[in-house]
Amino acid sequence: MNSYNNNFLKWFRHVSPYIHLHRGKTFVIMIPGDCIEQQNFPNIIWDIATLHSLGIRLVIVHGARIQIEKELSKDNIRSRFHEGSRITERNHLEAVLKAIGSTRFQLEALFSSGLPDSPMSGAKIKLRSGNFITAKPQGVINGIDHQMTGKVRSVDTDAILEIVAGGGLPLLSPLGYSVTGEVFNLSFADVGISVAATIQADKILIFNDDGPIHDKNNSLYRQLTIEQCETFLHDQHDHAPASSYFSLRACLAACRRGIPRAHIISSMEDGTLLKELFTRDGNGTMVYGDHYESIRAAETNDVVGIMNLISPLEKKGILVKRSRELLEKEIGYFTVMEKDNMIIGCAALYPIQDAAAGELACVAVMKEYQKDGRAKQLLDHIEKKARQHGLKQIFSLTTRTAHWFLEQGFVETSLDRMPASRKKLYNYQRNSKIFVKSLQEPVQLSTE
């Protein structure tokens, strides 16, 4: 047997454990528009097709930044940006949609190829696009109207997973649709991270021009914990500027939202996707974190963490201000959500005297973790606790988050409907809306 065959067998046997490891897992692959313009891009498509054939469940999210700029430049238009976000003016939207649509068609054509003796031969990938993203406008930020630039409001998780389960490959563009029928230009990073978090992907892989992360001395970072990643980004002025910082911030955001592993890989070097997934040392930079979380009764030593969490909301007038002394006194009413020994969420249930009811108060989740239903998890825990104490109703007062309470099954009520003991404490100056939810015991099915 010649050396080529020996090397092939050695390589194939070395790769086999990774094939077993990744089969059946769900990966989100993010492809920026710049990458699509590069000479190496057809090879990336071939490598993605290989992953698909190995039984890995894939979702593709593409960007179109450079394509949008080229389309706008045809009419001598230059976009304005605010804090890194493109301001999509309404009269520019047609050109933006044309650029994104053209990019999507290009991807669909590449995934549909299948010439004999090519890596795509026999692949027959069922690519599926659709209105998977519900969006809302960015709105006015620091006095600047972002017009038709939006952000992800929700993801049609069931539709995406149905395609994946059927052997298809969902392809998502940086667009979202509102309930009013409008279309918004989105950050493709926002789309990719939101999708990965809601479908509970095992990995997110982000292509970029610069490849893995290096420090100012050109030392390579193969792995970064969340804490190391935060430090690196905080000190980025000490390092050479690179577009990798965009990818690294996306990796950090993904891990904060519960994705176990986020990878940055080069779009310039051939085969980086396969090398990253099927070799021991990988080929890019991986950000990882222990996503263990727990919900538990609060303790006195949690007071500082709760204060750090609620202080910004108190300053904005969203929550009623509580002193440290009051928190220490009322800590027994609080429930906390903890992640890596850090308080990332809290809620309190105060019993209402002379009534089989309680008041839900001080619901707060750290900004980085506000999506993915963590507030609802806290509410579910509180409701279970309330039922255990024989409570029949939960009231809550709010000035800013009425829509959230409605979505959780609360109904708006009047002050007259509140128990007398709580009615006397109502703050007319805050003019809070009052919501109530009945706590009905789950129906028990007969086993007879």
Side-chain angles (χ1 to χ4, degrees):
M1 186 178 291
N2 59 39
S3 60
Y4 171 81
N5 287 334
N6 281 330
N7 290 335
F8 171 78
L9 288 173
K10 183 178 179 180
W11 167 83
F12 197 83
R13 288 166 178 163
H14 176 76
V15 166
S16 295
Y18 297 101
I19 296 174
H20 301 318
L21 176 66
H22 298 320
R23 182 182 292 115
K25 297 296 178 61
T26 303
F27 298 167
V28 172
I29 300 178
M30 293 173 54
I31 306 173
D34 306 52
C35 171
I36 298 170
E37 299 284 313
Q38 294 167 1
Q39 186 176 358
N40 183 53
F41 188 62
N43 294 333
I44 292 175
I45 296 294
W46 296 342
D47 292 346
I48 292 173
T50 299
L51 299 186
H52 184 265
S53 69
L54 291 173
I56 300 173
R57 298 152 56 97
L58 301 176
V59 177
I60 308 298
V61 178
H62 78 86
R65 183 189 64 84
I66 193 171
Q67 290 82 2
I68 291 173
E69 291 176 358
K70 286 182 177 180
E71 191 64 36
L72 290 174
S73 68
K74 293 178 182 178
D75 296 321
N76 296 317
I77 298 172
R78 293 189 98 183
S79 291
R80 294 180 296 136
F81 288 81
H82 178 245
E83 296 181 353
S85 178
R86 186 191 302 273
I87 298 171
T88 309
E89 297 183 26
R90 189 174 291 274
N91 60 335
H92 298 170
L93 187 59
E94 183 178 352
V96 170
L97 295 178
K98 184 177 180 180
I100 294 174
S102 177
T103 305
R104 182 168 62 99
F105 298 151
Q106 182 182 350
L107 286 165
E108 290 175 346
L110 286 169
F111 276 109
S112 299
S113 64
L115 291 173
D117 299 324
S118 77
M120 295 292 289
S121 178
K124 297 181 180 179
I125 293 176
K126 297 182 291 183
L127 209 63
R128 299 289 183 266
S129 300
N131 57 338
F132 305 121
I133 304 296
T134 300
K136 58 184 177 181
Q138 285 273 15
V140 179
I141 303 175
N142 297 330
I144 299 174
D145 187 357
H146 284 56
Q147 299 187 46
M148 304 310 293
T149 298
K151 56 184 177 181
V152 175
R153 181 175 182 177
S154 63
V155 177
D156 191 345
T157 308
D158 292 340
I160 292 174
L161 292 178
E162 183 178 354
I163 293 170
V164 171
L169 202 162
L171 174 64
L172 283 79
S173 300
L175 295 173
Y177 307 89
S178 72
V179 292
T180 58
E182 292 181 296
V183 58
F184 289 95
N185 181 25
L186 307 179
S187 158
F188 104 104
D190 186 18
V191 174
I193 295 166
S194 297
V195 169
T198 54
I199 68 173
Q200 299 181 331
D202 299 286
K203 286 183 185 290
I204 190 167
L205 298 113
I206 306 173
F207 281 97
N208 75 340
D209 295 344
D210 299 313
I213 303 299
H214 294 78
D215 65 10
K216 61 182 178 180
N217 299 317
N218 205 35
S219 296
L220 175 63
Y221 287 97
R222 284 296 186 201
Q223 297 180 346
L224 291 168
T225 64
I226 289 179
E227 292 76 15
Q228 290 170 334
C229 184
E230 289 173 335
T231 301
F232 187 93
L233 288 170
H234 182 268
D235 299 333
Q236 70 181 59
H237 60 276
D238 293 334
H239 309 290
S243 62
S244 290
Y245 295 127
F246 169 84
S247 302
L248 196 58
R249 283 192 291 270
C251 285
L252 178 60
C255 287
R256 281 174 170 171
R257 293 186 60 183
I259 308 303
R261 303 288 184 265
H263 304 251
I264 297 173
I265 49 180
S266 173
S267 60
M268 302 288 286
E269 180 184 342
D270 188 21
T272 54
L273 180 60
L274 299 182
K275 293 175 185 176
E276 179 69 4
L277 293 173
F278 296 102
T279 62
R280 185 180 302 276
D281 296 325
N283 193 254
T285 296
M286 178 179 72
V287 180
Y288 66 97
D290 178 4
H291 63 286
Y292 174 77
E293 296 178 11
S294 63
I295 298 177
R296 59 174 176 79
E299 301 171 352
T300 303
N301 56 9
D302 296 320
V303 168
V304 173
I306 295 173
M307 290 184 68
N308 291 337
L309 181 65
I310 66 177
S311 290
L313 300 176
E314 291 174 345
K315 291 177 181 177
K316 294 179 180 179
I318 297 174
L319 294 179
V320 176
K321 186 171 179 59
R322 290 170 170 81
S323 66
R324 177 167 183 158
E325 291 75 14
L326 182 60
L327 277 173
E328 289 178 349
K329 180 180 178 182
E330 298 182 343
I331 195 66
Y333 299 136
F334 275 78
T335 295
V336 294
M337 177 177 285
E338 186 181 50
K339 175 185 173 75
D340 293 331
N341 298 316
M342 177 175 66
I343 304 301
I344 65 168
C346 70
L349 178 65
Y350 293 92
I352 298 177
Q353 294 180 359
D354 305 320
E359 180 180 353
L360 174 68
C362 205
V363 180
V365 176
M366 191 176 291
K367 184 177 180 181
E368 294 87 349
Y369 301 96
Q370 284 177 356
K371 297 184 179 180
D372 309 325
R374 286 182 171 85
K376 186 180 185 307
Q377 292 176 28
L378 278 167
L379 175 60
D380 290 344
H381 188 90
I382 290 288
E383 289 183 6
K384 182 178 179 181
K385 182 178 178 180
R387 290 190 184 97
Q388 290 173 348
H389 286 81
L391 303 186
K392 303 300 183 183
Q393 292 178 312
I394 291 181
F395 288 85
S396 191
L397 282 68
T398 182
T399 58
R400 304 281 188 93
T401 55
H403 66 283
W404 183 82
F405 284 97
L406 291 172
E407 291 171 357
Q408 309 311 316
F410 284 76
V411 294
E412 189 170 357
T413 189
S414 65
L415 181 60
D416 293 334
R417 298 288 303 275
M418 291 197 75
S421 60
R422 180 61 182 86
K423 189 189 307 182
K424 292 188 297 184
L425 302 176
Y426 183 79
N427 186 337
Y428 287 88
Q429 187 174 356
R430 280 182 63 83
N431 194 30
S432 301
K433 293 187 175 183
I434 303 169
F435 292 87
V436 63
K437 183 175 184 179
S438 297
L439 299 177
Q440 297 179 348
E441 289 291 343
V443 177
Q444 298 293 329
L445 299 178
S446 174
T447 58
E448 297 181 357

